[in-house]
Amino acid sequence: DVPLVITDLAKNYANGFRAVDGVSFRVETGQVLGLLGPNGAGKTTTLRMLMGLITPSAGSIRVFGHAVTPGAPVLSRLGSFVEGSGFLPHLSGRDNLELYWRATGRPLADAHLEEALDIADLGRSVDRKVKSYSQGMRQRLAIAQAMLGLPDLMVLDEPTNGLDPPQIRTMRDVLIRYARTGRTVLVSSHLLAEVEQTCTHVVVMNKGVVVSAGTVEDLIGAS
Ligand code: ADP
Ligand code: ADP
C-alpha cells in the first residue's frame, strides 16, 4: 500500500476561511517528501487533518490504504511531531521519551528506543536533563519521539524551525538515514533551500492549493 494518498482535500475553518482548497498528492515508499509553501499556505492544516486532529470539510486521506478519520487516526504506522512538543525539563531526554511512550499504552522494544535515539544523534546527552538542551537538541528529541515506534510514515511539521545551519544539516542526515531504512518521511517547510537539501520530492502549496509537485530536480530545473 502507498504510504499516503490525499485526494481533493479541503478545510473550511469555523470562521468560514478556506485554508485548504482541493489538495491532492501522494507520497511513495522511501521518499522524503517536502510540503513547501509560505506561511499561511495550508501546510499545517493539511498535516493536522492527516494526523486525525481536525476534520476535513471534503476529500479523503488514506494512510497505507486506511482512511483517516478524526478520533480514529491511523496511529499504528504513523509517527508525528508538531512544533512545540512539550518536554518535561527536569527529566532526561530518554526519560521524556519513555514517559511519552508509556502514555500511548503500546509496547516499546528497547531496540526501537535505541534506534530512534541513534537516528536522532543525541549521543550521551540523552541522559542529561532536557533543560540543558539547545533548541536543536530539543528538536531532534522531538523527532526521536516521532520515530519511537519506527513508524512507516513519519510526519514532521517544520522540524527545522529555530535551528541554525549546522543543526539543519544534522537534521537532513537524520531524515535521509531514516528514509534509507525503507520508511517514508513527510516534512513541511517554508524554505526552498531546506527542501532542496533534505528532500527527494516536493509538493509546493500556496493559498490552499498545490501549485507544483515532482522530484526536487524537477523543481530546481523548472525554476
Ligand atoms: P475547527 O474548525 O477545526 O474546529 P476552529 O476554527 O474552531 O477550528 O479553531 C480552532 C483553534 O484555532 C481555535 O483555538 C482558534 O482560536 C484558532 N484560530 C482561529 N483562527 C485562527 C487563525 N487565523 N490562525 C490560526 N489559528 C486560528
Ligand atoms: P501554514 O502551515 O502553511 O503556515 P496553516 O495551515 O497554518 O498554514 O494556515 C493556513 C491558513 O488558515 C492561514 O491563513 C491561517 O491563518 C488560517 N487558519 C489556521 N488555523 C485556523 C483556524 N483555526 N481558524 C481560522 N483560520 C485558520
Side-chain angles (χ1 to χ4, degrees):
D1 280 318
V2 182
L4 178 65
V5 181
I6 289 180
T7 311
D8 298 330
L9 189 65
K11 176 65 181 178
N12 298 314
Y13 279 110
N15 63 1
F17 183 75
R18 195 165 178 86
V20 173
D21 190 13
V23 160
S24 301
F25 66 92
R26 55 163 60 208
V27 187
E28 308 278 355
T29 300
Q31 292 182 349
V32 178
L33 187 137
L35 189 58
L36 174 69
N39 287 329
K43 305 181 299 293
T44 298
T45 302
T46 300
L47 297 186
R48 294 186 77 212
M49 289 190 274
L50 147 63
M51 293 180 252
L53 298 172
I54 57 173
T55 315
S57 306
S60 82
I61 305 170
R62 291 191 160 264
V63 175
F64 298 104
H66 299 281
V68 174
T69 51
V74 181
L75 286 177
S76 57
R77 301 180 72 182
L78 189 72
S80 62
F81 143 71
V82 179
E83 204 194 333
S85 297
F87 293 114
L88 297 173
H90 295 284
L91 294 182
S92 70
R94 181 190 297 278
D95 288 346
N96 266 280
L97 293 197
E98 284 179 348
L99 189 64
Y100 162 81
W101 194 262
R102 216 174 298 147
T104 70
R106 287 185 281 156
L108 176 64
D110 282 348
H112 287 193
L113 177 62
E114 296 313 318
E115 184 173 350
L117 291 173
D118 186 45
I119 287 169
D121 203 19
L122 284 164
R124 286 150 71 191
S125 300
V126 75
D127 291 311
R128 299 197 188 109
K129 288 180 180 175
V130 164
K131 68 177 180 182
S132 72
Y133 285 18
S134 68
Q135 173 70 10
M137 290 164 68
R138 280 169 208 244
Q139 292 283 83
R140 296 209 300 283
L141 184 62
I143 290 175
Q145 179 170 296
M147 288 177 180
L148 261 189
L150 301 181
D152 295 316
L153 174 61
M154 181 164 62
V155 179
L156 303 169
D157 192 8
E158 304 253 2
T160 58
N161 262 4
L163 303 191
D164 60 24
Q167 291 168 334
I168 290 174
R169 282 194 289 278
T170 302
M171 178 75 63
R172 174 194 61 196
D173 295 343
V174 164
L175 297 184
I176 290 171
R177 219 183 310 153
Y178 194 75
R180 287 209 187 113
T181 65
R183 303 186 187 99
T184 306
V185 179
L186 171 59
V187 55
S188 71
S189 173
H190 60 274
L191 299 173
L192 172 60
E194 182 180 299
V195 167
E196 183 193 349
Q197 290 173 26
T198 312
C199 299
T200 60
H201 292 73
V202 61
V203 169
V204 185
M205 278 186 78
N206 193 20
K207 297 182 180 169
V209 302
V210 172
V211 295
S212 67
T215 65
V216 168
E217 289 75 23
D218 290 341
L219 181 79
I220 306 304
S223 61

